[in-house]
PDB file of all heavy atoms in Angstrom:
ATOM      1  N   GLY A   1      80.977 116.130  85.103  1.00 87.00           N
ATOM      2  CA  GLY A   1      80.945 115.834  86.534  1.00 87.00           C
ATOM      3  C   GLY A   1      82.270 116.017  87.240  1.00 87.00           C
ATOM      4  O   GLY A   1      82.384 115.801  88.451  1.00 87.00           O
ATOM      5  N   VAL A   2      83.295 116.427  86.508  1.00 84.00           N
ATOM      6  CA  VAL A   2      84.625 116.620  87.106  1.00 84.00           C
ATOM      7  C   VAL A   2      84.706 117.979  87.771  1.00 84.00           C
ATOM      8  O   VAL A   2      84.357 118.994  87.181  1.00 84.00           O
ATOM      9  CB  VAL A   2      85.726 116.495  86.023  1.00 84.00           C
ATOM     10  CG1 VAL A   2      87.097 116.744  86.632  1.00 84.00           C
ATOM     11  CG2 VAL A   2      85.674 115.128  85.366  1.00 84.00           C
ATOM     12  N   SER A   3      85.193 117.983  89.010  1.00 84.00           N
ATOM     13  CA  SER A   3      85.326 119.233  89.744  1.00 84.00           C
ATOM     14  C   SER A   3      86.503 120.043  89.230  1.00 84.00           C
ATOM     15  O   SER A   3      87.516 119.501  88.783  1.00 84.00           O
ATOM     16  CB  SER A   3      85.527 118.932  91.239  1.00 84.00           C
ATOM     17  OG  SER A   3      85.874 120.100  91.941  1.00 84.00           O
ATOM     18  N   ALA A   4      86.377 121.352  89.310  1.00 84.00           N
ATOM     19  CA  ALA A   4      87.466 122.248  88.889  1.00 84.00           C
ATOM     20  C   ALA A   4      88.505 122.433  89.987  1.00 84.00           C
ATOM     21  O   ALA A   4      89.556 123.022  89.766  1.00 84.00           O
ATOM     22  CB  ALA A   4      86.884 123.604  88.484  1.00 84.00           C
ATOM     23  N   GLU A   5      88.211 121.891  91.174  1.00 83.00           N
ATOM     24  CA  GLU A   5      89.134 122.046  92.299  1.00 83.00           C
ATOM     25  C   GLU A   5      90.336 121.121  92.151  1.00 83.00           C
ATOM     26  O   GLU A   5      90.222 120.015  91.630  1.00 83.00           O
ATOM     27  CB  GLU A   5      88.414 121.748  93.611  1.00 83.00           C
ATOM     28  CG  GLU A   5      87.258 122.709  93.900  1.00 83.00           C
ATOM     29  CD  GLU A   5      86.534 122.359  95.189  1.00 83.00           C
ATOM     30  OE1 GLU A   5      86.930 121.351  95.813  1.00 83.00           O
ATOM     31  OE2 GLU A   5      85.605 123.077  95.556  1.00 83.00           O
ATOM     32  N   ALA A   6      91.497 121.572  92.628  1.00 78.00           N
ATOM     33  CA  ALA A   6      92.722 120.774  92.580  1.00 78.00           C
ATOM     34  C   ALA A   6      93.601 121.146  93.772  1.00 78.00           C
ATOM     35  O   ALA A   6      93.457 122.225  94.349  1.00 78.00           O
ATOM     36  CB  ALA A   6      93.471 121.011  91.274  1.00 78.00           C
ATOM     37  N   VAL A   7      94.492 120.227  94.106  1.00 72.00           N
ATOM     38  CA  VAL A   7      95.393 120.475  95.233  1.00 72.00           C
ATOM     39  C   VAL A   7      96.441 121.501  94.833  1.00 72.00           C
ATOM     40  O   VAL A   7      97.029 121.422  93.761  1.00 72.00           O
ATOM     41  CB  VAL A   7      96.092 119.160  95.659  1.00 72.00           C
ATOM     42  CG1 VAL A   7      97.063 119.421  96.797  1.00 72.00           C
ATOM     43  CG2 VAL A   7      95.059 118.140  96.081  1.00 72.00           C
ATOM     44  N   THR A   8      96.691 122.451  95.714  1.00 78.00           N
ATOM     45  CA  THR A   8      97.723 123.446  95.442  1.00 78.00           C
ATOM     46  C   THR A   8      99.041 122.996  96.053  1.00 78.00           C
ATOM     47  O   THR A   8      99.080 122.092  96.891  1.00 78.00           O
ATOM     48  CB  THR A   8      97.327 124.812  96.043  1.00 78.00           C
ATOM     49  OG1 THR A   8      97.245 124.686  97.461  1.00 78.00           O
ATOM     50  CG2 THR A   8      95.985 125.270  95.496  1.00 78.00           C
ATOM     51  N   GLY A   9     100.111 123.627  95.631  1.00 72.00           N
ATOM     52  CA  GLY A   9     101.435 123.249  96.123  1.00 72.00           C
ATOM     53  C   GLY A   9     101.570 123.364  97.623  1.00 72.00           C
ATOM     54  O   GLY A   9     102.226 122.558  98.270  1.00 72.00           O
ATOM     55  N   ALA A  10     100.929 124.347  98.207  1.00 76.00           N
ATOM     56  CA  ALA A  10     101.036 124.559  99.652  1.00 76.00           C
ATOM     57  C   ALA A  10     100.342 123.453 100.434  1.00 76.00           C
ATOM     58  O   ALA A  10     100.729 123.135 101.563  1.00 76.00           O
ATOM     59  CB  ALA A  10     100.443 125.912 100.019  1.00 76.00           C
ATOM     60  N   GLU A  11      99.311 122.842  99.833  1.00 78.00           N
ATOM     61  CA  GLU A  11      98.538 121.816 100.526  1.00 78.00           C
ATOM     62  C   GLU A  11      99.096 120.410 100.309  1.00 78.00           C
ATOM     63  O   GLU A  11      98.831 119.508 101.090  1.00 78.00           O
ATOM     64  CB  GLU A  11      97.084 121.845 100.025  1.00 78.00           C
ATOM     65  CG  GLU A  11      96.359 123.146 100.324  1.00 78.00           C
ATOM     66  CD  GLU A  11      95.017 123.209  99.630  1.00 78.00           C
ATOM     67  OE1 GLU A  11      94.849 122.476  98.632  1.00 78.00           O
ATOM     68  OE2 GLU A  11      94.152 123.965 100.074  1.00 78.00           O
ATOM     69  N   LEU A  12      99.867 120.214  99.247  1.00 85.00           N
ATOM     70  CA  LEU A  12     100.325 118.891  98.876  1.00 85.00           C
ATOM     71  C   LEU A  12     101.514 118.457  99.728  1.00 85.00           C
ATOM     72  O   LEU A  12     102.543 119.115  99.770  1.00 85.00           O
ATOM     73  CB  LEU A  12     100.722 118.887  97.397  1.00 85.00           C
ATOM     74  CG  LEU A  12     101.026 117.527  96.764  1.00 85.00           C
ATOM     75  CD1 LEU A  12      99.807 116.624  96.846  1.00 85.00           C
ATOM     76  CD2 LEU A  12     101.460 117.702  95.325  1.00 85.00           C
ATOM     77  N   ARG A  13     101.352 117.304 100.409  1.00 88.00           N
ATOM     78  CA  ARG A  13     102.422 116.735 101.237  1.00 88.00           C
ATOM     79  C   ARG A  13     102.716 115.327 100.730  1.00 88.00           C
ATOM     80  O   ARG A  13     101.860 114.448 100.800  1.00 88.00           O
ATOM     81  CB  ARG A  13     102.007 116.708 102.711  1.00 88.00           C
ATOM     82  CG  ARG A  13     101.827 118.105 103.312  1.00 88.00           C
ATOM     83  CD  ARG A  13     101.162 118.021 104.675  1.00 88.00           C
ATOM     84  NE  ARG A  13     101.993 117.321 105.640  1.00 88.00           N
ATOM     85  CZ  ARG A  13     102.939 117.916 106.390  1.00 88.00           C
ATOM     86  NH1 ARG A  13     103.162 119.215 106.267  1.00 88.00           N
ATOM     87  NH2 ARG A  13     103.631 117.219 107.273  1.00 88.00           N
ATOM     88  N   ILE A  14     103.927 115.148 100.217  1.00 88.00           N
ATOM     89  CA  ILE A  14     104.295 113.904  99.544  1.00 88.00           C
ATOM     90  C   ILE A  14     105.405 113.187 100.296  1.00 88.00           C
ATOM     91  O   ILE A  14     106.276 113.820 100.889  1.00 88.00           O
ATOM     92  CB  ILE A  14     104.759 114.191  98.099  1.00 88.00           C
ATOM     93  CG1 ILE A  14     103.649 114.903  97.321  1.00 88.00           C
ATOM     94  CG2 ILE A  14     105.157 112.908  97.389  1.00 88.00           C
ATOM     95  CD1 ILE A  14     104.073 115.333  95.932  1.00 88.00           C
ATOM     96  N   ALA A  15     105.373 111.840 100.245  1.00 90.00           N
ATOM     97  CA  ALA A  15     106.444 111.024 100.814  1.00 90.00           C
ATOM     98  C   ALA A  15     106.764 109.884  99.865  1.00 90.00           C
ATOM     99  O   ALA A  15     105.942 109.492  99.037  1.00 90.00           O
ATOM    100  CB  ALA A  15     106.036 110.482 102.184  1.00 90.00           C
ATOM    101  N   VAL A  16     107.965 109.367  99.997  1.00 90.00           N
ATOM    102  CA  VAL A  16     108.432 108.262  99.174  1.00 90.00           C
ATOM    103  C   VAL A  16     108.775 107.085 100.064  1.00 90.00           C
ATOM    104  O   VAL A  16     109.383 107.264 101.125  1.00 90.00           O
ATOM    105  CB  VAL A  16     109.682 108.680  98.364  1.00 90.00           C
ATOM    106  CG1 VAL A  16     110.322 107.477  97.700  1.00 90.00           C
ATOM    107  CG2 VAL A  16     109.314 109.722  97.320  1.00 90.00           C
ATOM    108  N   VAL A  17     108.364 105.875  99.654  1.00 92.00           N
ATOM    109  CA  VAL A  17     108.713 104.670 100.414  1.00 92.00           C
ATOM    110  C   VAL A  17     109.270 103.629  99.449  1.00 92.00           C
ATOM    111  O   VAL A  17     108.680 103.360  98.410  1.00 92.00           O
ATOM    112  CB  VAL A  17     107.494 104.111 101.197  1.00 92.00           C
ATOM    113  CG1 VAL A  17     106.356 103.752 100.265  1.00 92.00           C
ATOM    114  CG2 VAL A  17     107.892 102.924 102.046  1.00 92.00           C
ATOM    115  N   ARG A  18     110.418 103.064  99.792  1.00 91.00           N
ATOM    116  CA  ARG A  18     111.067 102.055  98.958  1.00 91.00           C
ATOM    117  C   ARG A  18     110.632 100.669  99.423  1.00 91.00           C
ATOM    118  O   ARG A  18     111.174 100.126 100.382  1.00 91.00           O
ATOM    119  CB  ARG A  18     112.587 102.199  99.057  1.00 91.00           C
ATOM    120  CG  ARG A  18     113.158 103.455  98.412  1.00 91.00           C
ATOM    121  CD  ARG A  18     113.157 103.355  96.898  1.00 91.00           C
ATOM    122  NE  ARG A  18     113.909 102.194  96.442  1.00 91.00           N
ATOM    123  CZ  ARG A  18     115.212 102.197  96.203  1.00 91.00           C
ATOM    124  NH1 ARG A  18     115.922 103.290  96.382  1.00 91.00           N
ATOM    125  NH2 ARG A  18     115.826 101.104  95.773  1.00 91.00           N
ATOM    126  N   MET A  19     109.674 100.086  98.716  1.00 92.00           N
ATOM    127  CA  MET A  19     109.164  98.778  99.101  1.00 92.00           C
ATOM    128  C   MET A  19     110.217  97.686  98.948  1.00 92.00           C
ATOM    129  O   MET A  19     110.235  96.714  99.699  1.00 92.00           O
ATOM    130  CB  MET A  19     107.934  98.436  98.257  1.00 92.00           C
ATOM    131  CG  MET A  19     106.759  99.391  98.428  1.00 92.00           C
ATOM    132  SD  MET A  19     106.216  99.572 100.146  1.00 92.00           S
ATOM    133  CE  MET A  19     105.673  97.914 100.506  1.00 92.00           C
ATOM    134  N   ASP A  20     111.118  97.844  97.964  1.00 92.00           N
ATOM    135  CA  ASP A  20     112.163  96.847  97.786  1.00 92.00           C
ATOM    136  C   ASP A  20     113.124  96.821  98.972  1.00 92.00           C
ATOM    137  O   ASP A  20     113.598  95.757  99.381  1.00 92.00           O
ATOM    138  CB  ASP A  20     112.925  97.103  96.492  1.00 92.00           C
ATOM    139  CG  ASP A  20     113.495  98.515  96.404  1.00 92.00           C
ATOM    140  OD1 ASP A  20     112.889  99.445  96.983  1.00 92.00           O
ATOM    141  OD2 ASP A  20     114.536  98.696  95.757  1.00 92.00           O
ATOM    142  N   VAL A  21     113.384  98.001  99.547  1.00 93.00           N
ATOM    143  CA  VAL A  21     114.257  98.078 100.728  1.00 93.00           C
ATOM    144  C   VAL A  21     113.575  97.438 101.930  1.00 93.00           C
ATOM    145  O   VAL A  21     114.202  96.704 102.707  1.00 93.00           O
ATOM    146  CB  VAL A  21     114.631  99.546 101.031  1.00 93.00           C
ATOM    147  CG1 VAL A  21     115.399  99.639 102.346  1.00 93.00           C
ATOM    148  CG2 VAL A  21     115.447 100.129  99.896  1.00 93.00           C
ATOM    149  N   ILE A  22     112.279  97.709 102.092  1.00 95.00           N
ATOM    150  CA  ILE A  22     111.529  97.119 103.200  1.00 95.00           C
ATOM    151  C   ILE A  22     111.541  95.596 103.091  1.00 95.00           C
ATOM    152  O   ILE A  22     111.710  94.887 104.086  1.00 95.00           O
ATOM    153  CB  ILE A  22     110.075  97.653 103.217  1.00 95.00           C
ATOM    154  CG1 ILE A  22     110.071  99.145 103.544  1.00 95.00           C
ATOM    155  CG2 ILE A  22     109.217  96.883 104.224  1.00 95.00           C
ATOM    156  CD1 ILE A  22     108.712  99.793 103.433  1.00 95.00           C
ATOM    157  N   GLN A  23     111.371  95.073 101.894  1.00 93.00           N
ATOM    158  CA  GLN A  23     111.387  93.616 101.683  1.00 93.00           C
ATOM    159  C   GLN A  23     112.721  92.999 102.098  1.00 93.00           C
ATOM    160  O   GLN A  23     112.770  91.871 102.580  1.00 93.00           O
ATOM    161  CB  GLN A  23     111.101  93.307 100.205  1.00 93.00           C
ATOM    162  CG  GLN A  23     109.666  93.582  99.795  1.00 93.00           C
ATOM    163  CD  GLN A  23     109.451  93.444  98.297  1.00 93.00           C
ATOM    164  OE1 GLN A  23     110.372  93.090  97.561  1.00 93.00           O
ATOM    165  NE2 GLN A  23     108.244  93.727  97.837  1.00 93.00           N
ATOM    166  N   GLN A  24     113.802  93.756 101.908  1.00 94.00           N
ATOM    167  CA  GLN A  24     115.130  93.244 102.249  1.00 94.00           C
ATOM    168  C   GLN A  24     115.491  93.459 103.712  1.00 94.00           C
ATOM    169  O   GLN A  24     116.208  92.652 104.316  1.00 94.00           O
ATOM    170  CB  GLN A  24     116.193  93.924 101.360  1.00 94.00           C
ATOM    171  CG  GLN A  24     116.100  93.554  99.897  1.00 94.00           C
ATOM    172  CD  GLN A  24     116.333  92.069  99.646  1.00 94.00           C
ATOM    173  OE1 GLN A  24     117.185  91.445 100.272  1.00 94.00           O
ATOM    174  NE2 GLN A  24     115.553  91.497  98.739  1.00 94.00           N
ATOM    175  N   GLU A  25     115.002  94.544 104.315  1.00 95.00           N
ATOM    176  CA  GLU A  25     115.458  94.937 105.650  1.00 95.00           C
ATOM    177  C   GLU A  25     114.501  94.585 106.794  1.00 95.00           C
ATOM    178  O   GLU A  25     114.941  94.443 107.939  1.00 95.00           O
ATOM    179  CB  GLU A  25     115.720  96.453 105.679  1.00 95.00           C
ATOM    180  CG  GLU A  25     116.789  96.911 104.678  1.00 95.00           C
ATOM    181  CD  GLU A  25     118.146  96.298 104.971  1.00 95.00           C
ATOM    182  OE1 GLU A  25     118.431  96.016 106.155  1.00 95.00           O
ATOM    183  OE2 GLU A  25     118.918  96.083 104.012  1.00 95.00           O
ATOM    184  N   ALA A  26     113.223  94.458 106.533  1.00 97.00           N
ATOM    185  CA  ALA A  26     112.265  94.179 107.613  1.00 97.00           C
ATOM    186  C   ALA A  26     112.544  92.812 108.235  1.00 97.00           C
ATOM    187  O   ALA A  26     112.720  91.820 107.527  1.00 97.00           O
ATOM    188  CB  ALA A  26     110.832  94.240 107.071  1.00 97.00           C
ATOM    189  N   THR A  27     112.560  92.757 109.558  1.00 97.00           N
ATOM    190  CA  THR A  27     112.894  91.524 110.285  1.00 97.00           C
ATOM    191  C   THR A  27     111.948  90.385 109.945  1.00 97.00           C
ATOM    192  O   THR A  27     112.378  89.249 109.721  1.00 97.00           O
ATOM    193  CB  THR A  27     112.862  91.781 111.800  1.00 97.00           C
ATOM    194  OG1 THR A  27     113.759  92.843 112.113  1.00 97.00           O
ATOM    195  CG2 THR A  27     113.271  90.545 112.572  1.00 97.00           C
ATOM    196  N   VAL A  28     110.661  90.667 109.895  1.00 97.00           N
ATOM    197  CA  VAL A  28     109.674  89.619 109.636  1.00 97.00           C
ATOM    198  C   VAL A  28     109.842  89.033 108.236  1.00 97.00           C
ATOM    199  O   VAL A  28     109.633  87.829 108.031  1.00 97.00           O
ATOM    200  CB  VAL A  28     108.240  90.163 109.830  1.00 97.00           C
ATOM    201  CG1 VAL A  28     107.893  91.242 108.811  1.00 97.00           C
ATOM    202  CG2 VAL A  28     107.223  89.027 109.763  1.00 97.00           C
ATOM    203  N   LEU A  29     110.236  89.862 107.281  1.00 97.00           N
ATOM    204  CA  LEU A  29     110.406  89.370 105.910  1.00 97.00           C
ATOM    205  C   LEU A  29     111.712  88.593 105.764  1.00 97.00           C
ATOM    206  O   LEU A  29     111.780  87.641 104.978  1.00 97.00           O
ATOM    207  CB  LEU A  29     110.354  90.537 104.940  1.00 97.00           C
ATOM    208  CG  LEU A  29     108.986  91.244 104.888  1.00 97.00           C
ATOM    209  CD1 LEU A  29     109.028  92.466 103.992  1.00 97.00           C
ATOM    210  CD2 LEU A  29     107.900  90.284 104.424  1.00 97.00           C
ATOM    211  N   LYS A  30     112.729  88.979 106.515  1.00 97.00           N
ATOM    212  CA  LYS A  30     113.957  88.179 106.536  1.00 97.00           C
ATOM    213  C   LYS A  30     113.669  86.786 107.096  1.00 97.00           C
ATOM    214  O   LYS A  30     114.142  85.776 106.581  1.00 97.00           O
ATOM    215  CB  LYS A  30     115.019  88.869 107.399  1.00 97.00           C
ATOM    216  CG  LYS A  30     115.619  90.122 106.790  1.00 97.00           C
ATOM    217  CD  LYS A  30     116.658  90.708 107.743  1.00 97.00           C
ATOM    218  CE  LYS A  30     117.296  91.960 107.176  1.00 97.00           C
ATOM    219  NZ  LYS A  30     118.289  92.541 108.109  1.00 97.00           N
ATOM    220  N   ASP A  31     112.888  86.755 108.187  1.00 97.00           N
ATOM    221  CA  ASP A  31     112.531  85.480 108.808  1.00 97.00           C
ATOM    222  C   ASP A  31     111.706  84.618 107.860  1.00 97.00           C
ATOM    223  O   ASP A  31     111.910  83.404 107.767  1.00 97.00           O
ATOM    224  CB  ASP A  31     111.745  85.738 110.099  1.00 97.00           C
ATOM    225  CG  ASP A  31     111.289  84.457 110.769  1.00 97.00           C
ATOM    226  OD1 ASP A  31     112.154  83.717 111.285  1.00 97.00           O
ATOM    227  OD2 ASP A  31     110.069  84.196 110.766  1.00 97.00           O
ATOM    228  N   LEU A  32     110.803  85.250 107.118  1.00 97.00           N
ATOM    229  CA  LEU A  32     109.954  84.515 106.184  1.00 97.00           C
ATOM    230  C   LEU A  32     110.791  83.910 105.048  1.00 97.00           C
ATOM    231  O   LEU A  32     110.584  82.757 104.659  1.00 97.00           O
ATOM    232  CB  LEU A  32     108.883  85.453 105.621  1.00 97.00           C
ATOM    233  CG  LEU A  32     107.743  84.798 104.835  1.00 97.00           C
ATOM    234  CD1 LEU A  32     106.988  83.816 105.708  1.00 97.00           C
ATOM    235  CD2 LEU A  32     106.800  85.864 104.282  1.00 97.00           C
ATOM    236  N   ARG A  33     111.724  84.673 104.540  1.00 97.00           N
ATOM    237  CA  ARG A  33     112.607  84.144 103.486  1.00 97.00           C
ATOM    238  C   ARG A  33     113.445  82.979 104.009  1.00 97.00           C
ATOM    239  O   ARG A  33     113.711  82.010 103.284  1.00 97.00           O
ATOM    240  CB  ARG A  33     113.520  85.248 102.948  1.00 97.00           C
ATOM    241  CG  ARG A  33     112.810  86.260 102.070  1.00 97.00           C
ATOM    242  CD  ARG A  33     113.792  87.063 101.254  1.00 97.00           C
ATOM    243  NE  ARG A  33     114.735  87.784 102.094  1.00 97.00           N
ATOM    244  CZ  ARG A  33     114.507  88.980 102.629  1.00 97.00           C
ATOM    245  NH1 ARG A  33     113.352  89.590 102.403  1.00 97.00           N
ATOM    246  NH2 ARG A  33     115.413  89.569 103.373  1.00 97.00           N
ATOM    247  N   SER A  34     113.857  83.073 105.261  1.00 97.00           N
ATOM    248  CA  SER A  34     114.642  81.999 105.870  1.00 97.00           C
ATOM    249  C   SER A  34     113.826  80.708 105.945  1.00 97.00           C
ATOM    250  O   SER A  34     114.352  79.610 105.704  1.00 97.00           O
ATOM    251  CB  SER A  34     115.108  82.417 107.268  1.00 97.00           C
ATOM    252  OG  SER A  34     115.827  81.384 107.893  1.00 97.00           O
ATOM    253  N   GLN A  35     112.532  80.836 106.268  1.00 97.00           N
ATOM    254  CA  GLN A  35     111.656  79.661 106.321  1.00 97.00           C
ATOM    255  C   GLN A  35     111.521  79.031 104.937  1.00 97.00           C
ATOM    256  O   GLN A  35     111.579  77.806 104.786  1.00 97.00           O
ATOM    257  CB  GLN A  35     110.281  80.066 106.842  1.00 97.00           C
ATOM    258  CG  GLN A  35     110.262  80.509 108.301  1.00 97.00           C
ATOM    259  CD  GLN A  35     108.866  80.928 108.734  1.00 97.00           C
ATOM    260  OE1 GLN A  35     107.910  80.160 108.631  1.00 97.00           O
ATOM    261  NE2 GLN A  35     108.727  82.153 109.207  1.00 97.00           N
ATOM    262  N   ARG A  36     111.337  79.874 103.932  1.00 97.00           N
ATOM    263  CA  ARG A  36     111.206  79.349 102.572  1.00 97.00           C
ATOM    264  C   ARG A  36     112.480  78.629 102.149  1.00 97.00           C
ATOM    265  O   ARG A  36     112.424  77.542 101.558  1.00 97.00           O
ATOM    266  CB  ARG A  36     110.898  80.474 101.586  1.00 97.00           C
ATOM    267  CG  ARG A  36     110.751  79.982 100.147  1.00 97.00           C
ATOM    268  CD  ARG A  36     110.364  81.083  99.185  1.00 97.00           C
ATOM    269  NE  ARG A  36     111.395  82.105  99.079  1.00 97.00           N
ATOM    270  CZ  ARG A  36     111.320  83.162  98.254  1.00 97.00           C
ATOM    271  NH1 ARG A  36     110.264  83.314  97.483  1.00 97.00           N
ATOM    272  NH2 ARG A  36     112.284  84.048  98.218  1.00 97.00           N
ATOM    273  N   GLU A  37     113.625  79.215 102.435  1.00 97.00           N
ATOM    274  CA  GLU A  37     114.906  78.600 102.081  1.00 97.00           C
ATOM    275  C   GLU A  37     115.090  77.254 102.782  1.00 97.00           C
ATOM    276  O   GLU A  37     115.673  76.326 102.209  1.00 97.00           O
ATOM    277  CB  GLU A  37     116.045  79.545 102.436  1.00 97.00           C
ATOM    278  CG  GLU A  37     116.121  80.770 101.524  1.00 97.00           C
ATOM    279  CD  GLU A  37     117.073  81.831 102.047  1.00 97.00           C
ATOM    280  OE1 GLU A  37     117.715  81.574 103.114  1.00 97.00           O
ATOM    281  OE2 GLU A  37     117.178  82.903 101.429  1.00 97.00           O
ATOM    282  N   SER A  38     114.569  77.126 104.011  1.00 96.00           N
ATOM    283  CA  SER A  38     114.675  75.865 104.751  1.00 96.00           C
ATOM    284  C   SER A  38     113.882  74.766 104.048  1.00 96.00           C
ATOM    285  O   SER A  38     114.364  73.629 103.892  1.00 96.00           O
ATOM    286  CB  SER A  38     114.157  76.050 106.181  1.00 96.00           C
ATOM    287  OG  SER A  38     114.159  74.830 106.876  1.00 96.00           O
ATOM    288  N   TYR A  39     112.666  75.100 103.608  1.00 96.00           N
ATOM    289  CA  TYR A  39     111.853  74.119 102.879  1.00 96.00           C
ATOM    290  C   TYR A  39     112.495  73.774 101.534  1.00 96.00           C
ATOM    291  O   TYR A  39     112.474  72.614 101.097  1.00 96.00           O
ATOM    292  CB  TYR A  39     110.441  74.658 102.655  1.00 96.00           C
ATOM    293  CG  TYR A  39     109.563  74.582 103.890  1.00 96.00           C
ATOM    294  CD1 TYR A  39     109.061  75.736 104.489  1.00 96.00           C
ATOM    295  CD2 TYR A  39     109.229  73.343 104.452  1.00 96.00           C
ATOM    296  CE1 TYR A  39     108.255  75.666 105.619  1.00 96.00           C
ATOM    297  CE2 TYR A  39     108.419  73.273 105.585  1.00 96.00           C
ATOM    298  CZ  TYR A  39     107.943  74.430 106.159  1.00 96.00           C
ATOM    299  OH  TYR A  39     107.137  74.359 107.291  1.00 96.00           O
ATOM    300  N   GLU A  40     113.060  74.761 100.865  1.00 95.00           N
ATOM    301  CA  GLU A  40     113.718  74.500  99.580  1.00 95.00           C
ATOM    302  C   GLU A  40     114.941  73.599  99.765  1.00 95.00           C
ATOM    303  O   GLU A  40     115.226  72.750  98.910  1.00 95.00           O
ATOM    304  CB  GLU A  40     114.124  75.829  98.942  1.00 95.00           C
ATOM    305  CG  GLU A  40     112.934  76.639  98.425  1.00 95.00           C
ATOM    306  CD  GLU A  40     113.320  78.020  97.938  1.00 95.00           C
ATOM    307  OE1 GLU A  40     114.436  78.484  98.283  1.00 95.00           O
ATOM    308  OE2 GLU A  40     112.519  78.642  97.219  1.00 95.00           O
ATOM    309  N   LYS A  41     115.633  73.772 100.873  1.00 95.00           N
ATOM    310  CA  LYS A  41     116.785  72.920 101.175  1.00 95.00           C
ATOM    311  C   LYS A  41     116.332  71.472 101.391  1.00 95.00           C
ATOM    312  O   LYS A  41     116.976  70.522 100.913  1.00 95.00           O
ATOM    313  CB  LYS A  41     117.504  73.435 102.419  1.00 95.00           C
ATOM    314  CG  LYS A  41     118.782  72.696 102.756  1.00 95.00           C
ATOM    315  CD  LYS A  41     119.479  73.312 103.956  1.00 95.00           C
ATOM    316  CE  LYS A  41     120.760  72.549 104.301  1.00 95.00           C
ATOM    317  NZ  LYS A  41     121.447  73.149 105.484  1.00 95.00           N
ATOM    318  N   GLN A  42     115.213  71.298 102.117  1.00 94.00           N
ATOM    319  CA  GLN A  42     114.660  69.952 102.316  1.00 94.00           C
ATOM    320  C   GLN A  42     114.277  69.323 100.982  1.00 94.00           C
ATOM    321  O   GLN A  42     114.484  68.124 100.763  1.00 94.00           O
ATOM    322  CB  GLN A  42     113.436  70.031 103.221  1.00 94.00           C
ATOM    323  CG  GLN A  42     113.727  70.432 104.658  1.00 94.00           C
ATOM    324  CD  GLN A  42     112.446  70.485 105.486  1.00 94.00           C
ATOM    325  OE1 GLN A  42     111.637  69.554 105.472  1.00 94.00           O
ATOM    326  NE2 GLN A  42     112.250  71.572 106.205  1.00 94.00           N
ATOM    327  N   LEU A  43     113.720  70.139 100.110  1.00 93.00           N
ATOM    328  CA  LEU A  43     113.300  69.641  98.802  1.00 93.00           C
ATOM    329  C   LEU A  43     114.510  69.195  97.982  1.00 93.00           C
ATOM    330  O   LEU A  43     114.476  68.140  97.333  1.00 93.00           O
ATOM    331  CB  LEU A  43     112.518  70.727  98.058  1.00 93.00           C
ATOM    332  CG  LEU A  43     111.849  70.324  96.740  1.00 93.00           C
ATOM    333  CD1 LEU A  43     110.842  69.208  96.967  1.00 93.00           C
ATOM    334  CD2 LEU A  43     111.181  71.525  96.089  1.00 93.00           C
ATOM    335  N   ARG A  44     115.575  69.972  98.005  1.00 93.00           N
ATOM    336  CA  ARG A  44     116.789  69.599  97.272  1.00 93.00           C
ATOM    337  C   ARG A  44     117.401  68.319  97.834  1.00 93.00           C
ATOM    338  O   ARG A  44     117.862  67.454  97.081  1.00 93.00           O
ATOM    339  CB  ARG A  44     117.819  70.737  97.339  1.00 93.00           C
ATOM    340  CG  ARG A  44     117.472  71.929  96.445  1.00 93.00           C
ATOM    341  CD  ARG A  44     118.654  72.851  96.305  1.00 93.00           C
ATOM    342  NE  ARG A  44     119.057  73.427  97.584  1.00 93.00           N
ATOM    343  CZ  ARG A  44     118.581  74.563  98.081  1.00 93.00           C
ATOM    344  NH1 ARG A  44     117.675  75.254  97.404  1.00 93.00           N
ATOM    345  NH2 ARG A  44     119.010  75.020  99.232  1.00 93.00           N
TER     346      ARG A  44
END
């Protein structure tokens, strides 16, 4: 049932995304980490 068709080099469009960088640089994730640190400070 496997097709013999495959993507050729001319058709293939690839991109790379660094999720670890997004976790460190995105504003919303910085804010979220700040909230967690605030609760951890209260706990300590």
Side-chain angles (χ1 to χ4, degrees):
V2 178
S3 170
E5 298 178 358
V7 178
T8 63
E11 297 171 338
L12 189 60
R13 294 169 64 87
I14 302 175
V16 170
V17 60
R18 291 286 303 272
M19 298 304 297
D20 55 330
V21 173
I22 293 174
Q23 289 173 3
Q24 293 297 321
E25 300 298 330
T27 303
V28 65
L29 295 175
K30 288 180 180 179
D31 178 69
L32 191 60
R33 287 197 301 275
S34 178
Q35 293 179 57
R36 180 177 64 177
E37 289 169 3
S38 176
Y39 283 117
E40 289 173 343
K41 185 177 179 180
Q42 292 180 49
L43 187 60
R44 286 193 297 270

